Amino acid sequence: MDLVVEGRAYVRGKLGHWAIGIEDGRIVEIARSIRGAERMNLGDLIILPGAIDPHVHLRDPGLTDKEDFATGTLAAACGGVTTVLDMPNTLPPAVTAEKLAEKKEAIARKAWVDYGLFAGCMPGADIEAMAPMAVGFKVFMGSSTGRLLVTEDKDLARIAAQVNRTGKVLSVHAEDENLIQHDVESTPPDHLRNRPAAAEVSAIRRLSSLPGQINVCHVSSAEGLQALKDLPFTKEVTAHHMLLDRDSEGKAYAKVNPPLRTKEDRLALFQAFISGEIDMLASDHAPHTIEDKEMEFDAAPSGMPGVETAVPMMLALMKRGTVPVEVLVSAMAEKPASVFGLEKGRLEVGRDADLMVIDPRAASPIKVNNLHSKCGWTPFEGREAIFPHMVFVRGQLVVEDGDPVGERVGRDVVVAKRSRS
Ligand code: DOR
Ligand code: ZN
Ligand code: ZN
């Protein structure tokens, strides 16, 4: 055994004192105590599975003035995220097997945490050819950053059928392009008027008859939640849609798709989250530079960073008793692992030893200067958060007290899975 980590660990649905034995990056034993190996005794610090963020935009290749795979995955690690699933709207977009292979090469050896790549679906895409490299597929039904867009039902139907044949997940940005207006906007409420909740509901309805495992990204409205009630889809929510709304400060920094909506929407999402109705917590980390965001509102790009702050803010809410630990662990780790078929997300023998260690007493306000994204800003300045004391990726310590330690060990989860089986 390479290492034994002992503390108050979340095992089989509850916190208790456990020793976790790690060998070759995997959990090989969980017992009250384990002898005969290098031990790290964490006392009453809490050990949770590392989080899996099913939705980030790390901008590599092509948009690396905003973020790159090194800075984005370091930000992830410092926020307790040990696996990121990266979206295809990079430059060039990852929409063919060739472009996916190029992207893999461009980011190789840069990552601090494990990662998977989404393949972008355009009409006519060769889904089968992309499948061996992709952790999942992505469709944008409404236009956002980049040019990926599928507006016709016949294209959606073909894509969903082909993705279904690969056995992978289809993650969808569900805003119906037909219901998005492009009137000149100068405030977050204007942006919301252009992208009403009806666009989300319509997109969800159009998906409702499609086959396969569909994941609705960043559900953002009470109506959207309602429309999803009887559908077999999984769903994500973001921290920003639960904690910010159209009346939050922030000019173009608060411009994001889907938009920040009303206080009622925000509270409905948060309520659904804490009652365990939401499958996954996603950051939709979408860094843009300060320069981008200082442009006129109408011209500024949509999106906000969040991969380093989403889990820590939820951990602070967990400590306050607002978010139950089992709900948070399910949404940030267990469910994303099962949806995307990863041997991660639980402190369980046989799974990857991806862990975060937290000191529940160590809540502190978020300060942008302590964050690691290249974009250099956060919409959550001053919010209470608990940043992990330590983060392990497959048994390797990568972050300690907000700073990187050791080597960059991140690897592609799809490649790793193939070599496992
Ligand atoms: O606000 C957004 N930003 N929404 C998206 O769908 C894309 C993202 C980005 O890549 O900037
Ligand atoms: Zn999206
Ligand atoms: Zn996104």
Side-chain angles (χ1 to χ4, degrees):
M1 212 166 305
D2 304 324
L3 176 67
V4 174
V5 184
E6 267 186 78
R8 265 167 52 76
Y10 187 82
V11 173
R12 288 192 288 277
K14 43 181 197 299
L15 288 170
H17 191 93
W18 292 103
I20 299 169
I22 300 168
E23 195 170 295
D24 292 333
R26 288 196 210 164
I27 298 172
V28 292
E29 187 177 349
I30 299 180
R32 292 296 173 192
S33 79
I34 302 173
R35 294 186 180 284
E38 187 191 331
R39 279 170 56 181
M40 188 181 278
N41 193 337
L42 296 162
D44 59 0
L45 298 187
I46 294 176
I47 307 170
L48 300 177
I52 299 169
D53 191 333
H55 188 155
V56 301
H57 300 264
L58 298 190
R59 310 299 192 203
D60 206 346
L63 299 159
T64 51
D65 58 322
K66 299 176 193 275
E67 192 79 280
D68 63 43
F69 234 72
T71 54
T73 56
L74 179 57
C78 292
V81 173
T82 49
T83 304
V84 290
L85 306 186
D86 189 52
M87 288 298 167
N89 58 338
T90 36
L91 261 188
V95 294
T96 64
E98 192 195 349
K99 295 289 179 265
L100 261 175
E102 280 171 31
K103 177 166 178 171
K104 275 175 121 46
E105 197 43 47
I107 64 178
R109 295 168 294 279
K110 289 187 183 172
W112 287 91
V113 302
D114 284 351
Y115 55 91
L117 301 183
F118 279 96
C121 300
M122 294 288 277
D126 189 346
I127 306 270
E128 204 185 324
M130 292 193 282
M133 278 179 283
V135 73
F137 291 86
K138 174 73 184 280
V139 158
F140 284 88
M141 291 177 72
S143 51
S144 196
T145 306
R147 296 232 167 78
L148 300 187
L149 193 58
V150 179
T151 56
E152 301 301 314
D153 285 327
K154 67 171 192 337
D155 293 320
L156 278 174
R158 192 194 128 262
I159 289 166
Q162 293 194 356
V163 170
N164 188 28
R165 248 172 269 142
T166 70
K168 303 214 173 187
V169 177
L170 181 59
S171 275
V172 182
H173 180 117
E175 283 188 283
D176 189 333
E177 185 67 14
N178 301 314
L179 298 184
I180 295 175
Q181 285 125 246
H182 297 275
D183 295 347
V184 173
E185 34 182 73
S186 52
T187 62
D190 292 347
H191 189 59
L192 173 56
R193 267 190 294 279
N194 274 340
R195 305 183 75 114
E200 183 165 89
V201 171
S202 169
I204 291 167
R205 295 223 173 100
R206 288 176 57 200
L207 292 169
S208 61
S209 59
L210 299 182
Q213 203 187 338
I214 292 178
N215 174 45
V216 175
C217 296
H218 45 48
V219 181
S220 62
S221 65
E223 293 100 312
L225 277 179
Q226 189 57 37
L228 281 162
K229 268 258 145 56
D230 299 315
L231 294 175
F233 302 159
T234 56
K235 47 191 175 289
E236 302 166 358
V237 289
T238 67
H240 53 268
H241 289 114
M242 292 193 282
L243 299 174
L244 305 173
D245 58 49
R246 67 173 173 193
D247 300 316
S248 305
E249 295 292 308
K251 304 175 291 183
Y253 294 94
K255 184 177 178 185
V256 61
N257 299 326
L260 300 180
R261 300 192 189 274
T262 64
K263 184 177 173 195
E264 290 70 36
D265 288 309
R266 169 165 73 77
L267 295 177
L269 294 168
F270 191 58
Q271 197 52 50
F273 183 75
I274 62 184
S275 57
E277 290 161 41
I278 304 293
D279 299 281
M280 300 187 275
L281 175 68
S283 69
D284 198 2
H285 180 74
H288 293 288
T289 62
I290 289 174
E291 225 173 18
D292 294 332
K293 287 296 202 177
E294 285 293 333
M295 288 195 274
E296 292 246 8
F297 191 95
D298 198 62
S302 293
M304 47 179 71
V307 73
E308 191 167 0
T309 47
V311 167
M313 289 191 294
M314 292 300 138
L315 290 170
L317 292 171
M318 178 184 96
K319 182 211 168 187
R320 288 183 172 269
T322 313
V323 179
V325 60
E326 60 277 9
V327 167
L328 180 56
V329 174
S330 172
M332 73 176 181
E334 294 172 353
K335 207 61 199 279
S338 73
V339 169
F340 291 95
L342 308 177
E343 294 289 325
K344 295 175 170 290
R346 287 173 192 268
L347 306 183
E348 196 175 273
V349 169
R351 302 221 171 208
D352 287 349
D354 299 340
L355 324 170
M356 70 172 105
V357 176
I358 65 162
D359 178 352
R361 290 163 301 245
S364 62
I366 292 173
K367 293 199 178 75
V368 69
N369 289 342
N370 297 337
L371 301 178
H372 297 81
S373 169
K374 201 185 273 192
C375 74
W377 63 278
T378 171
F380 299 114
E381 182 77 17
R383 297 234 175 201
E384 186 177 53
I386 296 177
F387 289 93
H389 166 53
M390 287 175 172
V391 177
F392 295 83
V393 174
R394 281 176 286 101
Q396 304 283 329
L397 184 64
V398 294
V399 163
E400 190 165 5
D401 294 326
D403 285 313
V405 292
E407 307 271 310
R408 297 188 225 177
V409 297
R411 68 181 186 192
D412 189 315
V413 292
V414 175
V415 176
K417 197 169 180 174
R418 219 174 299 132
S419 61
R420 242 178 198 243
S421 52

